[in-house]
Amino acid sequence: MGTTATAERVVLGTGRSSRRALFADPHHPCLGSECALPYSADRGKKSVSRQALDELKQQIPLLDYLQAQDWQPVRPLSGGRWMGLCPLHSDHKPSFLVDPGKSLFYCYGCGRGGDVIRFAEIYHDVKFPQALALLRQWRGLAPLLQQATDFYRLQLHRHGEAVAYLHQRGVRSPELIEHMRIGYAPGGGCLRAWLRQSGYPLSALRQAGLVTSLGYDAYVHRIVFPLEGNLYGRSVSASAPPHRFLPGPKGGLYAWEQVRRHPEVILVEGLFDYAVLWQAGFPQVTCSLGIHLNARQFQQLCDGPRTVYLSFDADANGSGPQASEQLAHRLGAHGIMARRIVLPEGHDPNSFFVQGGDAGQFQSFLEAAQP
Ligand SMILES: [Zn+2]
């Protein structure tokens, strides 16, 4: 619907290159060393050598990075290229072209394109040096977190207390456990032993926060959910602090790439709220991991026209309702319709389903939700 035409005008209008040239040449002309404007920030700074940049880009294939952000290729094109929904703007039909061979992207909708560094700049809304820092951190951390996640997932069904806890929180379906990649951290130094055996130095495990300064596994008797660049651990024992994250940001909204195409989304505060809703047949649910959204999560909610249904916990101290009221106002100011779901007294979505609530009843709460 005219998007392509607009994109074409934008690209041609820059006088840099045509779309064809972008993917026909091995390098985007503007990424060449003689180009004055390779990235948006810190022009002319020579602190990062061209070689270091090339190395970083080689170590982080664009497609790997995109998929780690939940991006999914939708349609194959010739030459091993892919089209998918654009993660950088509100996109309803695939306009985001990825060339894995050249590690370049171009969006026919918003007209932006470039390499993995450019992508990180736009996606995380940061300047060039911060994008480099994020990518370097990801390069170091991603394989380690992946290994830890694999290990925790293997442990889940070997530990009765883990499965019992999941049942108690209403998590039953194998599809859900697979979808959320739920695992279990038994503790006792077994993650450390496993990762050391895989060749990771202890210092890397400490730096990632997987192992404490004293050398113990940081997550002990915790259900573990992998997030974007982090791991959330929920204690199954009442004597430990319930929630734990690794050092670093909690990331964006949970499973956002799968949720954002829905015109109506449900936002909950906890992953167990997310779990029961997803299991009950509400794929449009996402989670902010707490009642305070970070800037990125807020920006994601505002990345396209939609209605956001808020269902934060009705805590005794009223912080949940207060936070959802404030969020509804902020969203409204950004042109996003927000509605607040009212659950029966004292319930959050998890306790509602655990105590026998069903999808039909929840649907009626959705329909009754107030602006
Ligand atoms: Zn786009």
Side-chain angles (χ1 to χ4, degrees):
M1 286 251 319
T3 13
T4 310
T6 315
E8 209 157 341
R9 270 202 307 279
V10 170
V11 172
L12 296 176
T14 62
R16 294 195 216 156
S17 67
S18 72
R19 285 177 295 155
R20 195 185 306 137
L22 174 62
F23 286 99
D25 297 341
H27 298 289
H28 187 295
C30 271
L31 299 178
S33 47
E34 55 289 309
C35 178
L37 300 169
Y39 301 101
S40 67
D42 295 335
R43 294 163 182 85
K45 262 202 177 170
K46 296 284 181 225
S47 54
V48 188
S49 78
R50 169 94 204 155
Q51 191 190 351
L53 291 182
D54 284 343
E55 259 173 37
L56 183 70
K57 287 191 279 183
Q58 233 167 43
Q59 288 161 344
I60 307 179
L62 176 65
L63 187 61
D64 288 5
Y65 191 70
L66 288 170
Q67 288 182 318
Q69 321 297 324
D70 261 355
W71 183 80
Q72 289 164 350
V74 174
R75 190 158 47 86
L77 300 179
S78 64
R81 298 168 308 159
W82 289 94
M83 291 298 287
L85 291 176
C86 176
L88 308 174
H89 83 277
S90 170
D91 198 10
H92 297 287
K93 57 178 190 187
S95 33
F96 190 76
L97 170 64
V98 177
D99 187 330
K102 293 168 187 154
S103 264
L104 292 173
F105 71 95
Y106 180 75
C107 176
Y108 292 95
C110 60
R112 293 179 286 192
D115 58 12
V116 69
I117 305 174
R118 182 74 190 123
F119 178 81
E121 273 189 302
I122 309 172
Y123 187 71
H124 299 290
D125 191 22
V126 294
K127 299 259 192 274
F128 180 65
Q130 286 85 44
L132 284 188
L134 282 173
L135 288 171
R136 286 196 178 115
Q137 193 189 15
W138 186 84
R139 175 186 60 187
L141 202 58
L144 181 54
L145 291 188
Q146 183 60 51
Q147 285 246 21
T149 299
D150 292 346
F151 174 78
Y152 289 143
R153 290 181 74 188
L154 279 175
Q155 300 305 314
L156 184 67
H157 292 286
R158 296 181 182 169
H159 294 269
E161 74 270 22
V163 178
Y165 183 82
L166 289 182
H167 279 197
Q168 183 200 322
R169 301 298 304 270
V171 174
R172 289 196 165 78
S173 94
E175 292 77 25
L176 175 64
I177 292 171
E178 180 69 28
H179 167 72
M180 296 184 80
R181 297 182 290 146
I182 301 175
Y184 183 62
C190 50
L191 177 76
R192 172 187 156 156
W194 166 273
L195 292 174
R196 294 283 289 120
Q197 218 172 44
S198 308
Y200 286 98
L202 193 54
S203 59
L205 309 186
R206 282 207 184 104
Q207 204 184 350
L210 290 166
V211 165
T212 65
S213 55
L214 295 174
Y216 300 113
D217 284 9
Y219 286 5
V220 180
H221 300 151
R222 282 178 190 274
I223 302 289
V224 179
F225 298 85
L227 308 173
E228 184 188 289
N230 208 319
L231 297 175
Y232 167 70
R234 175 63 168 89
S235 175
V236 302
S237 131
S239 59
H243 313 291
R244 201 157 171 182
F245 294 88
L246 297 178
K250 62 181 174 180
L253 292 170
Y254 190 78
W256 183 244
E257 277 307 310
Q258 293 151 48
V259 175
R260 60 187 293 235
R261 71 194 71 160
H262 294 277
E264 299 185 328
V265 307
I266 306 168
L267 176 66
V268 297
E269 76 174 77
L271 284 177
F272 282 98
D273 300 318
Y274 173 95
V276 290
L277 276 166
W278 192 89
Q279 190 175 244
F282 295 93
Q284 73 276 36
V285 62
T286 183
C287 170
S288 49
L289 297 137
I291 53 176
H292 300 292
L293 275 68
N294 60 33
R296 170 116 176 281
Q297 292 175 328
F298 185 77
Q299 190 194 344
Q300 287 173 319
L301 283 181
C302 297
D303 75 3
R306 62 173 58 89
T307 303
V308 179
Y309 289 83
L310 301 169
S311 190
F312 286 171
D313 299 0
D315 317 337
N317 62 10
S319 58
Q322 206 185 344
S324 63
E325 194 178 323
Q326 284 170 356
L327 180 57
H329 279 293
R330 277 176 70 205
L331 288 170
H334 284 77
I336 300 292
M337 169 96 80
R339 290 178 178 277
R340 279 169 289 156
I341 300 173
V342 181
L343 294 180
E345 188 70 31
H347 274 297
D348 57 42
N350 186 261
S351 65
F352 175 74
F353 280 97
V354 165
Q355 288 175 30
D358 64 30
Q361 289 167 317
F362 194 85
Q363 183 62 39
S364 62
F365 297 139
L366 272 182
E367 283 156 19
Q370 298 294 315

